[in-house]
Amino acid sequence: MSKRIVVSSLVGAVVLGGVAAGGLAMASATTKLTVENGSARYVAPSAGAAGSLTFTVDVSDDSGVRDLKVVAWPASSKLDPTAAELRDAESAECRSTSDETSRCTYTLKVTQQDAADLAAGAWHVSALATAADGDTLFVPRAAAFDVAG
């Protein structure tokens, strides 16, 4: 075997090894499931119109976003929901903003009767995000808002 063939084969093996290692590095650099930029807004109902609670958040994962469960609760209640309890909560509507990120919005209509039954003061929003690959992330206090008394 000539030296030129051996050198060419070694160079080729090193180049292929580098490409394979780079591919593995890229594949292992996965994005973890995140829930960011959460905000909640409560609008009390008026004489002629219903009010609302709106919670918006950005959810990201390299596999995509499957679902976001949401529950709002008064801080004075000391409820402090768990991830297991949120599995049966209502889902937010999630719309993709990229391959990895979705903007999720949960909107709840609040009637005058509903508003009369709400505890005044600070409220929290808890969220349970589920990625397309099945990973989950529980955020016990994803946002906060106030209900006037």
Side-chain angles (χ1 to χ4, degrees), residues 45-64:
S46 63
S52 64
L53 164 63
T54 304
F55 169 67
T56 304
V57 69
D58 295 324
V59 181
S60 299
D61 188 75
D62 58 347
S63 69

Side-chain angles (χ1 to χ4, degrees), residues 128-143:
L128 177 65
T130 304
D133 63 8
D135 288 347
T136 61
L137 176 64
F138 174 61
V139 183
R141 286 175 180 77

Side-chain angles (χ1 to χ4, degrees), residues 2-12:
S2 79
K3 287 182 182 179
R4 193 166 51 191
I5 292 174
V6 171
V7 171
S8 294
S9 296
L10 288 174
V11 169

Side-chain angles (χ1 to χ4, degrees), residues 69 83-90 128:
K69 301 285 188 172
E85 293 169 330
L86 257 73
R87 286 190 174 94
D88 295 324
E90 293 184 18
L128 177 65

Side-chain angles (χ1 to χ4, degrees), residues 57-130:
V57 69
D58 295 324
V59 181
S60 299
D61 188 75
D62 58 347
S63 69
V65 176
R66 182 187 307 163
D67 189 31
L68 181 75
K69 301 285 188 172
V70 177
V71 68
W73 51 281
S76 62
S77 73
K78 309 293 185 216
L79 284 176
D80 221 3
T82 65
E85 293 169 330
L86 257 73
R87 286 190 174 94
D88 295 324
E90 293 184 18
S91 291
E93 183 177 321
C94 296
R95 297 188 189 269
S96 295
T97 57
S98 72
D99 289 342
E100 296 181 353
T101 303
S102 290
R103 167 77 40 98
C104 298
T105 303
Y106 172 76
T107 303
L108 179 65
K109 179 180 164 184
V110 179
T111 66
Q112 286 187 338
Q113 180 60 47
D114 294 333
D117 295 338
L118 294 178
W123 282 62
H124 299 292
V125 177
S126 296
L128 177 65
T130 304

